[in-house]
Amino acid sequence: MQLAGKVVLVTGGTDGIGLRLARALRDAGAKVTMTGRTAARIAAAQAEGFEVLPADLAGPDGVAGLLAAISGRQFDVLVNNAGMGGTHDFREGAPVADEDERTLYLNLHAPIRLIAGMIPALRDRPEAMIVNVTSGLAIAPSTSAPVYCATKAALRSYTQALRSQLKDTHIHVLEALPPVVDTAMTAARTGSKLSPEECARQIVAAMQRNATEANVGIVRILAILNNLAPWLVRRIMLSF
């Protein structure tokens, strides 16, 4: 896709991967609108010149409000980036039910509802794209965060089916699978982390070449191994 001149909506764009995606897309010539829910981050993104639509997409009211806010507007690209995740580990006590519900809605229900709401407008564009940001954990889950992993695996499955449904249209469907990226969500994790700037760079490059998957960083290796020896990948990942 030629990104210059395209109008892009990035959910969860005021921080982390989303903010770097917004910057990289703007550098490629796209006009970017983003969503955010934290006042300070919204103000900071606006100071950079971005249009920000306040929206908490972890519940149906936030999704409905966003769809109402963009009704009648033309977008060429939807990037479903907003996400959250926490531990759901019975070895450490009972999981927090409210956090699980918000994770389920934000990571899975919101992208599906936004796609459904925006498909008619995307069909009217001469060239359009839907980018769903899942995770390397959609391929092989981690023991400590099964709810997060489940939402990403479900979104991966949905993305693959959506791509098949839209294959004869001009709406291209891309799945982006980041590894562990150095963001606020992973601040407590130790070990190697990919920079959000490099993650965004690889996703935007995949958009520009109309790839079906952006296996970012080490996920490229994970995807290859999963094709050759899925049992080994599951054994490795479930140790975390």
Side-chain angles (χ1 to χ4, degrees):
M1 171 179 271
Q2 173 58 253
L3 291 171
K6 294 296 192 296
V7 183
V8 183
L9 176 64
V10 180
T11 66
T14 58
D15 190 34
I17 296 171
L19 179 58
R20 277 64 172 197
L21 273 173
R23 290 169 177 165
L25 288 164
R26 184 170 62 180
D27 289 345
K31 179 181 178 182
V32 181
T33 296
M34 62 174 68
T35 72
R37 64 182 181 85
T38 304
R41 291 174 179 168
I42 289 174
Q46 289 172 331
E48 288 192 41
F50 289 108
E51 178 189 17
V52 186
L53 302 175
D56 183 351
L57 302 178
D61 291 345
V63 173
L66 175 59
L67 288 172
I70 64 174
S71 178
R73 296 180 56 173
Q74 292 183 333
F75 287 94
D76 302 292
V77 180
L78 167 64
V79 181
N80 281 308
N81 165 77
M84 64 177 289
T87 60
H88 178 105
D89 196 331
F90 288 99
R91 297 168 300 184
E92 299 177 0
V96 180
D98 180 65
E99 182 175 286
D100 283 347
E101 290 300 316
R102 287 177 58 80
T103 299
L104 286 163
Y105 202 94
L106 180 59
N107 293 5
L108 181 59
H109 295 281
I112 293 173
R113 296 275 65 82
L114 289 175
I115 290 168
M118 292 183 66
I119 279 283
L122 291 173
R123 285 185 185 275
D124 288 340
R125 307 306 295 156
E127 184 183 28
M129 183 177 289
I130 295 168
V131 181
N132 288 335
V133 179
T134 63
S135 169
L137 296 176
I139 297 175
S142 167
T143 297
S144 63
V147 173
Y148 175 81
C149 296
T151 61
K152 294 302 186 178
L155 186 58
R156 174 172 170 78
S157 179
Y158 179 86
T159 303
Q160 292 172 342
L162 179 69
R163 183 183 300 119
S164 179
Q165 289 182 8
L166 299 179
K167 66 181 180 180
D168 295 323
T169 75
H170 53 260
I171 304 175
H172 183 78
V173 179
L174 167 65
E175 178 187 7
L177 297 94
V180 177
V181 178
D182 190 8
T183 65
M185 193 174 78
T186 65
R189 294 193 58 165
T190 58
S192 178
K193 302 177 190 178
L194 187 69
S195 75
E197 290 81 9
E198 176 59 20
C199 180
R201 186 196 68 77
Q202 292 189 33
I203 293 172
V204 169
M207 294 172 67
Q208 291 172 320
R209 65 175 184 270
N210 280 328
T212 56
E213 290 188 6
N215 292 305
V216 179
I218 198 172
V219 175
R220 290 194 299 269
I221 299 172
L222 181 64
I224 294 170
L225 285 176
N226 191 58
N227 287 331
L228 296 174
W231 61 271
L232 177 60
V233 173
R234 286 194 296 271
R235 178 175 296 181
I236 293 171
M237 297 305 295
L238 286 171
S239 67
F240 291 97

